[in-house]
Amino acid sequence: MAISDVKARLQEARATARVLKSLPKILPSAKNGPAQMLDIRVRKTPNNLGMVFEGRKYTWREINDQANQYAAFLREQGIGKGDVVALMMDNRPEYFFFVMAMAKLGAISALINTNLTGEPLVHAISVAKAKKVFVGEEHLDAIDEVFSQLDELKKSDDLYVQFEGDKPRSRKGTAVNNLIAEQPTSEQWRQQFLNSDPYCYIYTSGTTGLPKAAIVTNQRMVAASAAFGRAMFEATPSDVIYVTLPMYHSSAMYIGTGSCLDTGATIALRRKFSASSFWDDVNEMGATGFLYIGELCRYLLNSNSHPGERTHKLRIGVGNGLRADVWTAFQERFGVPLFREFYGATEGNTILTNFQGVPGMIGRKRLGQLLLRCDEVTGEPVRNADGFCEEVDVGEAGLLVGRIQPWVRFDGYLDKNATQKKILKDVRKKGDRYFNTGDLIQLHEDNWLSFADRIGDTFRWKGENVSTNEVMEILGKYDHVLEANVYGVEVPNAEGRAGMAALNVEDGFDLQGFAKFARENLANYQLPYFVRILSNEMRITGTFKHQKVDYRKEGFDPSIVNDPLYFLDGDKYVEIDQKLMDRFNAGKISPA
């Protein structure tokens, strides 16, 4: 065995020992909920710095006092155990105060993606059966536009608005700043709940079109927080973890605020990620760790030199989607000693971790996890003559699935039909049940795994999952669009896949009007940055489904595609010729 292999094995053994050492602490804590985690913080480190944000600082005791005020206010409004309130707000301390207050009440926070507008926003709030909506003023316009469509929420006192300034705008809804500030900071009650009760709903896009509300239980939240905080970050109360990802994401919820809540590390919160401000922030805040998605690291690597990029205290980054080339170049340029990559879905049971810091790998395949041969078009597993699934060999990519067992659960979605669609049965033997991740994973020697692609109708762009069915349905509503086939295409020097639409149109179709329509009805990450106007009939499969694989492979290269091709440059589409394609290949232009 080579020396490098021996070192890797020793690293893995040490990492395994750390996890095993954490288990006695993690497992008992899973009997509690996030509210109890905050109780522990106040009892152990009440005067330690719990959160910093834009010059504002809060100790853990002050965070708890704020959460108590929010809880008292919500309780006055009739919110109690099992009730759902939708939350739509940018990253700021009030977000954390709200979810902690809801946890104290045993109520459920429906964490709305702040990019949603129109029909997807209505669906997200409605499917959660939210009793009320709590919105930051920065997203009041989006809520205001759809409020009349929320059948169960048409009263002004069903909409609470958290303003950041001193002078609330005269709009629909109840301004809550002063009302919350008048509440007592003491806690005079305690709501009892089970660790199997829901803590929050986090939305994930899939092949069904509209956002699905994944159920995050108290147990899942606490266990994930402890695992990431203690095992991945190995954090202590002296650490500062920089959080720039949106708090409606499981990454910011579990890895960011959860890790700090469990270990006592400080939450260094930023409203939104900014490559130009990153190094100023981590130096000023004294950050020792940060959470990432691959695109975030690529932005930093492509940014201009910064005087603070080597003077920081960062010792570790934890996240997912980091390409091997970006990983290595990032460490060499910025001097961050360690990355710990992981793989996992908000609602899933297939967690993978790369403790050793091997660039490009998401971890080693674990007991109960399989990589199945599948059809590239449908994503359906290939079954043998006995009706069972087959596993791929080293060097091949397969569909990752995880066996559902009492100790490795799949809590599912609010939509029971969506839950059932994610469960594969009779995979290796009669009666077994597996969670279908919907992801293609590459198998390497020694059971190492790397991410390959997303199967079917979902692709990832700008750190968001994009449902092609959802986008297709919206684009199909535009005048003179007969058919819209939406898929993700690779863009040189960019992470993930950008949206592209192959359109079958009739006379009268207005391309620039289509651009305006798309901007008004889709989030930025959902936009069809590339358009292909089909000269012939739409390609379909034998079962009359849209053919995506060939379109995706052909992409937007005019030397391959004979149909007219366009790129969304700002608010207008421009034709893609070879000169523009050369700029894409040189990395001089990319979707915004």
Side-chain angles (χ1 to χ4, degrees):
M1 182 180 292
I3 294 177
S4 59
D5 291 334
V6 173
K7 289 182 178 180
R9 291 294 189 185
L10 287 173
Q11 284 181 313
E12 185 173 18
R14 293 192 196 101
T16 301
R18 284 196 299 270
V19 175
L20 292 175
K21 186 178 180 180
S22 297
L23 284 178
K25 299 178 181 178
I26 294 173
L27 294 178
S29 67
K31 298 176 182 178
N32 301 320
Q36 281 79 8
M37 293 170 71
L38 184 54
D39 288 343
I40 294 171
R41 290 274 59 79
V42 175
R43 187 170 67 249
K44 288 187 174 181
T45 56
N47 299 317
N48 280 22
L49 189 60
M51 179 183 290
V52 293
F53 174 81
E54 296 183 355
R56 295 153 61 185
K57 297 181 179 181
Y58 300 89
T59 65
W60 284 109
R61 175 179 283 133
E62 289 170 336
I63 289 172
N64 189 56
D65 288 346
Q66 291 275 354
N68 285 340
Q69 289 184 303
Y70 274 68
F73 168 75
L74 291 167
R75 195 175 185 222
E76 279 189 354
Q77 311 311 308
I79 302 301
K81 182 178 178 180
D83 289 329
V84 180
V85 179
L87 172 63
M88 191 171 185
M89 184 183 290
D90 284 347
N91 283 6
R92 45 192 175 99
E94 291 79 8
Y95 199 112
F96 192 54
F97 303 155
F98 177 90
V99 294
M100 285 294 97
M102 293 286 283
K104 287 172 177 283
L105 293 168
I108 306 163
S109 302
L111 309 182
I112 305 299
N113 185 323
T114 55
N115 291 290
L116 296 181
T117 58
E119 183 183 354
L121 177 56
V122 172
H123 172 80
I125 296 173
S126 299
V127 75
K129 297 181 180 178
K131 194 173 181 179
K132 297 180 184 294
V133 175
F134 199 98
V135 61
E137 66 169 313
E138 63 272 26
H139 297 293
L140 181 54
D141 288 341
I143 292 288
D144 206 25
E145 288 175 3
V146 302
F147 200 72
S148 62
Q149 300 175 48
L150 298 169
D151 295 335
E152 297 180 9
L153 300 172
K154 291 186 177 179
K155 297 182 295 182
S156 61
D157 59 359
D158 286 333
L159 177 62
Y160 303 143
V161 186
Q162 177 88 55
F163 289 91
E164 291 191 270
D166 296 328
K167 297 180 179 180
R169 290 176 287 165
S170 178
R171 298 290 299 274
K172 183 183 298 180
T174 302
V176 300
N177 299 51
N178 293 335
L179 297 175
I180 292 172
E182 294 169 356
Q183 300 296 329
T185 59
S186 60
E187 181 176 306
Q188 302 173 1
W189 33 264
R190 165 61 63 190
Q191 178 64 55
Q192 299 297 318
F193 50 84
L194 302 174
N195 60 7
S196 58
D197 288 340
Y199 163 64
C200 69
Y201 300 146
I202 294 180
Y203 292 81
T204 178
S205 294
T207 58
T208 56
L210 294 168
K212 299 193 296 292
I215 301 170
V216 177
T217 64
N218 290 311
Q219 182 176 13
R220 177 177 285 261
M221 176 62 188
V222 175
S225 299
F228 280 112
R230 301 178 193 184
M232 294 290 275
F233 271 118
E234 295 184 86
T236 69
S238 63
D239 279 300
V240 178
I241 297 178
Y242 185 50
V243 181
T244 67
L245 300 180
M247 293 176 72
Y248 62 75
H249 262 187
S250 55
S251 288
M253 186 59 62
Y254 294 157
I255 315 172
T257 61
S259 290
C260 294
L261 190 61
D262 183 78
T263 64
T266 301
I267 305 167
L269 188 64
R270 183 175 177 85
R271 192 179 300 267
K272 292 182 179 179
F273 169 72
S274 167
S276 61
S277 300
F278 185 91
W279 298 112
D280 288 329
D281 282 351
V282 297
N283 278 280
E284 181 181 343
M285 297 175 174
T288 56
F290 74 107
L291 56 148
Y292 67 82
I293 54 174
E295 190 77 349
L296 182 153
C297 294
R298 190 184 66 83
Y299 284 147
L300 290 171
L301 196 58
N302 289 342
S303 62
N304 295 328
S305 178
H306 188 285
E309 66 182 41
R310 298 285 298 194
T311 61
H312 58 80
K313 298 178 181 178
L314 290 175
R315 62 174 179 81
I316 187 172
V318 176
N320 55 26
L322 188 57
R323 291 190 336 221
D325 57 339
V326 175
W327 183 319
T328 303
F330 192 100
Q331 288 186 308
E332 290 176 352
R333 175 177 169 182
F334 301 124
V336 178
L338 181 62
F339 277 112
R340 284 197 174 137
E341 181 88 354
F342 80 96
Y343 168 92
T346 300
E347 73 282 20
N349 67 349
T350 48
I351 304 299
L352 295 163
T353 52
N354 177 359
F355 278 95
Q356 293 90 318
V358 180
M361 296 295 116
I362 58 178
R364 279 194 172 100
K365 188 161 67 76
R366 296 179 174 178
L367 188 66
Q369 298 174 348
L370 304 174
L371 290 177
L372 305 179
R373 297 188 187 281
C374 67
D375 184 280
E376 187 177 356
V377 175
T378 66
E380 289 296 316
V382 175
R383 294 183 181 266
N384 59 27
D386 296 323
F388 298 121
C389 301
E390 299 180 348
E391 297 184 68
V392 301
D393 297 323
V394 172
E396 298 179 328
L399 174 65
L400 178 63
V401 299
R403 188 169 183 180
I404 300 172
Q405 301 178 80
W407 57 91
V408 190
R409 296 171 49 181
F410 168 47
D411 294 312
Y413 311 98
L414 289 179
D415 184 338
K416 293 183 179 179
N417 289 330
T419 299
Q420 290 304 312
K421 288 180 180 178
K422 294 292 284 186
I423 298 175
L424 290 176
K425 299 178 180 179
D426 303 332
V427 173
R428 300 299 289 161
K429 63 179 182 180
K430 284 290 184 182
D432 63 16
R433 298 162 71 245
Y434 282 78
F435 169 73
N436 181 354
T437 67
D439 287 334
L440 276 174
I441 302 297
Q442 187 90 16
L443 178 62
H444 302 266
E445 293 287 348
D446 208 13
N447 277 329
W448 278 105
L449 303 176
S450 64
F451 184 83
D453 204 351
R454 294 186 181 273
I455 289 175
D457 293 331
T458 302
F459 62 91
R460 193 167 179 84
W461 180 246
K462 301 297 183 183
E464 298 279 354
N465 288 343
V466 182
S467 166
T468 57
N469 282 352
E470 178 185 345
V471 177
M472 178 184 68
E473 290 172 6
I474 292 174
L475 297 184
K477 295 177 182 178
Y478 186 69
D479 291 343
H480 306 297
V481 171
L482 301 178
E483 283 184 286
N485 187 352
V486 177
Y487 46 95
V489 292
E490 293 182 344
V491 180
N493 303 299
E495 295 283 348
R497 295 176 183 270
M500 184 166 183
L503 302 179
N504 183 4
V505 302
E506 60 183 3
D507 292 341
F509 174 74
D510 178 6
L511 181 61
Q512 303 311 332
F514 178 78
K516 184 174 185 293
F517 175 85
R519 283 282 187 193
E520 292 175 347
N521 290 275
L522 295 170
N524 283 341
Y525 65 86
Q526 295 175 307
L527 288 171
Y529 284 99
F530 302 94
V531 165
R532 175 176 181 170
I533 304 297
L534 297 175
S535 304
N536 300 310
E537 293 291 325
M538 185 78 70
R539 299 174 196 164
I540 58 175
T541 68
T543 54
F544 303 99
K545 295 179 181 178
H546 280 167
Q547 172 62 264
K548 296 181 185 290
V549 175
D550 290 342
Y551 283 136
R552 186 166 59 231
K553 289 179 179 178
E554 292 168 0
F556 52 92
D557 189 339
S559 67
I560 298 175
V561 179
N562 293 323
D563 296 325
L565 297 166
Y566 301 91
F567 168 62
L568 185 60
D569 187 5
D571 292 328
K572 293 185 178 181
Y573 281 104
V574 296
E575 187 169 4
I576 301 175
D577 55 18
Q578 194 56 51
K579 184 177 180 180
L580 184 58
M581 191 66 202
D582 290 342
R583 293 185 65 199
F584 275 113
N585 289 330
K588 295 180 179 180
I589 187 172
S590 185

